[in-house]
Amino acid sequence: MTDTSRTVVASGNVDDTGAVVGRLSMLDRLLPFWIAAAMALGLAAGRAIPGLGGALEAVQVDGISLPIALGLLVMMYPVLAKVRYDRVDTVTGDRRLLVSSLVLNWILGPAVMFALAWILLPDLPAYRTGLIIVGLARCIAMVVIWNDLACGDREAAAVLVALNSVFQVIAFAALGWFYLGVLPGWLGLATTELDVSTGDIARSVLIFLGVPLVAGHLTRRLGEKIKGRAWYETRFLPKIGPAALWGLLFTIVILFALQGEAITARPWDVARIALPLLAYFVIMWCGSFALGRLAGLGYARTATLAFTAAGNNFELAIAVAIATFGLTSGQALAGVVGPLIEVPALVALVYLSLALRRRIRSQPA
């Protein structure tokens, strides 16, 4: 959404909810269609090309699939290149926002997904584990788009995404060990035995998150130094932005080519994976929005808090599931279902957020 359109909406001259779709670019507006097309193409390729799965699994280095790595890195880099790394202190000074975000993302979020996965998928351990991994992968990509459409605080969203990215590199492996091995044991539930060490999980996180994070930071720093911020924001970022979508679609094609048999053979399992995901989005967004209001945040930062808490980094979750359990695993399938549910769910929450915006008198954030 452009600054001009944001000003018009803020002035009340345009109906908020009616303008949402109009502010989406053509690529973003048709994202559900592109994802559905990528799914269909992947399923068709898996059926039409004999030995495709084996060929894809063979193209790997140190247990990491190169086609999947390529798709994920291309998808994440443009988003991280948009982050304003020079404004971290403008948000870290707001302790209400920062503390609330850290608690929601790193304590409540994983716990809520853990509970939903065990309650709704007690008999499907692979999918349950995949969803728990999703719950550990905090927001970093599409959440920036949802926040912007909802007229949230753009700079606060960028900073929270950057902080979550750094914290994710540090905490993801430890949280995975706790929620998959330690906590289930304390509760008398089945634990998950990992075929790789915690160090291997941390390596996957560093590759699929650390590499694009460093690349995004260096790109912004060098781009602004050489050509200036105006050129970087108005010329460079729009050119690389579509790469995120192509990376996402490429990854979905590959994954669905490998998961096609499981999807077509067990559609009920896919539906069951979708149920806890929908519940998770609603619980996290509504609870976070309420917390923001109770903390005295204005609408813009309350919306940012809600969307950054509800959004998940499915790219990272898929990468870790693949590296840990394999390309054709149920854990990877759970991650693949994630973005297919996230897109319509969070678009609906954008409409809800804008409806609430009309009833809230903004307070200084």
Side-chain angles (χ1 to χ4, degrees):
M1 182 172 61
T2 65
D3 292 332
T4 302
S5 63
R6 169 170 284 187
T7 302
V8 171
V9 172
S11 68
N13 293 331
V14 178
D15 179 71
D16 288 349
T17 56
V20 173
V21 176
R23 293 196 301 270
L24 285 166
S25 70
M26 183 61 68
L27 286 175
D28 294 331
R29 192 182 308 166
L30 297 178
L31 183 58
F33 168 78
W34 300 127
I35 290 178
M39 292 169 52
L41 179 60
L43 291 172
R47 291 176 175 272
I49 305 175
L52 177 61
L56 291 173
E57 289 182 342
V59 186
Q60 59 177 261
V61 174
D62 198 17
I64 296 176
S65 168
L66 292 185
I68 295 296
L70 175 63
L72 292 172
L73 293 176
V74 169
M75 173 172 48
M76 297 175 69
Y77 164 69
V79 178
L80 291 172
K82 296 178 181 179
V83 174
R84 290 290 299 273
Y85 297 93
D86 60 333
R87 293 188 175 180
V88 173
D89 57 345
T90 65
V91 174
T92 55
D94 188 341
R95 294 187 178 181
R96 297 170 300 171
L97 178 65
L98 183 61
V99 172
S100 297
S101 180
L102 291 176
V103 169
L104 288 167
N105 276 287
W106 300 105
I107 297 178
L108 294 182
V112 168
M113 187 67 88
F114 175 86
L116 289 172
W118 272 100
I119 292 172
L120 298 177
L121 300 176
D123 56 332
L124 296 171
Y127 300 152
R128 183 178 65 233
T129 298
L131 286 183
I132 292 173
I133 293 174
V134 168
L136 302 178
R138 309 314 300 163
C139 65
I140 144 180
M142 291 293 289
V143 67
V144 177
I145 296 175
W146 312 134
N147 175 77
D148 210 36
L149 289 171
C151 298
D153 188 317
R154 185 179 298 164
E155 296 304 323
V159 170
L160 291 181
V161 165
L163 290 176
N164 278 329
S165 300
V166 173
F167 201 85
Q168 203 152 221
V169 172
I170 300 171
F172 188 95
L175 288 174
W177 166 76
F178 176 75
Y179 278 102
L180 293 176
V182 177
L183 184 56
W186 289 351
L187 299 176
L189 303 172
T191 59
T192 300
E193 295 292 335
L194 299 179
D195 294 331
V196 294
S197 66
T198 300
D200 291 326
I201 298 177
R203 180 197 60 185
S204 297
V205 174
L206 287 171
I207 291 174
F208 292 111
L209 181 60
V211 170
L213 178 63
V214 172
H217 180 270
L218 291 177
T219 300
R220 174 172 281 278
R221 184 173 181 179
L222 294 176
E224 290 186 353
K225 182 177 180 180
I226 296 172
K227 302 287 288 187
R229 177 162 295 173
W231 173 89
Y232 185 85
E233 296 281 355
T234 62
R235 301 289 296 277
F236 180 73
L237 288 181
K239 288 183 179 180
I240 67 170
L245 174 58
W246 297 120
L248 171 64
L249 297 178
F250 175 81
T251 303
I252 290 177
V253 169
I254 299 298
L255 288 171
F256 271 77
L258 294 165
Q259 297 284 356
E261 183 177 352
I263 293 171
T264 55
R266 291 175 290 180
W268 175 242
D269 288 355
V270 175
R272 291 190 60 186
I273 293 171
L275 180 60
L277 284 169
L278 284 171
Y280 173 84
F281 292 134
V282 173
I283 292 171
M284 288 301 296
W285 192 91
C286 293
S288 301
F289 198 96
L291 178 62
R293 297 304 298 155
L294 289 174
L297 299 175
Y299 167 80
R301 289 198 171 179
T302 295
T304 298
L305 181 67
F307 281 101
T308 52
N312 286 86
N313 183 1
F314 289 104
E315 304 88 352
L316 177 61
I318 293 171
V320 172
I322 291 171
T324 306
F325 300 100
L327 283 166
T328 59
S329 65
Q331 291 85 348
L333 177 60
V336 170
V337 174
L340 308 181
I341 305 302
E342 181 184 32
V343 170
L346 291 190
V347 167
L349 289 173
V350 167
Y351 281 89
L352 175 60
S353 185
L354 291 173
L356 292 172
R357 178 177 182 269
R358 295 196 298 267
R359 300 183 180 183
I360 296 174
R361 174 177 293 181
S362 295
Q363 302 174 359

